[in-house]
């Protein structure tokens, strides 16, 4: 449930930032639903747009890029990478087994 609420919070924060007046070149308020759709599409890495991308400022395009980045690597991975402490963690060595793969090719 926490992960769902975190994704919802990121989508709504992105939608709010995208719908602000300074987010587009015309200095007009964008529709909140356009921001929600664009933000959801960016976080879910869908690639859909309502056509507002050409009028967005560099700030808004960076917001979309950040949303795409967080959505691509995953929220849990992003939070773990930020909050993990590298000096207190021990690295465990992993041993892989040696196996041989036999491939049989049958000619017809």
């Amino acid at each position: 449930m926490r992960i769902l609420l975190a994704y919802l919070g990121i989508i709504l924060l992105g939608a709010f930032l995208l719908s602000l007046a300074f987010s587009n070149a015309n200095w007009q308020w964008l529709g909140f639903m356009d921001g929600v759709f664009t933000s959801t599409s960016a976080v879910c890495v869908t690639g859909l747009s309502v056509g507002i991308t050409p009028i967005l400022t560099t700030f808004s395009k960076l917001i979309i890029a950040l949303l795409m980045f967080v959505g691509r690597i995953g929220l849990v991975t992003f939070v773990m990478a930020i909050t993990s402490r590298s000096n207190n963690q021990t690295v465990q060595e992993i041993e892989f087994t040696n196996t041989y793969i036999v491939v049989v090719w049958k000619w017809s």
Side-chain angles (χ1 to χ4, degrees), residues 8-104:
L8 184 63
I10 287 177
I11 288 170
L12 290 177
L13 178 66
F16 173 72
L17 291 174
L18 289 175
S19 62
L20 292 175
F22 61 85
S23 294
N24 65 53
N26 299 333
W27 286 83
Q28 297 175 348
W29 291 95
L30 296 176
F32 185 70
M33 290 308 293
D34 290 341
V36 168
F37 185 85
T38 304
S39 179
T40 303
S41 176
V43 170
C44 297
V45 195
T46 307
L48 299 175
S49 177
V50 291
I52 63 171
T53 310
I55 64 168
L56 294 179
T57 60
T58 304
F59 169 77
S60 297
K61 291 178 183 177
L62 288 174
I63 294 295
I64 291 175
L66 182 67
L67 291 172
M68 288 169 43
F69 181 74
V70 170
R72 178 66 182 112
I73 64 170
L75 184 65
V76 175
T77 307
F78 188 70
V79 170
M80 290 297 293
I82 291 175
T83 60
S84 67
R85 295 183 209 148
S86 61
N87 56 357
N88 292 339
Q89 294 179 346
T90 59
V91 177
Q92 298 176 352
E93 291 189 29
I94 299 173
E95 289 186 31
F96 295 101
T97 59
N98 291 330
T99 60
Y100 298 99
I101 299 173
V102 178
V103 178
V104 178

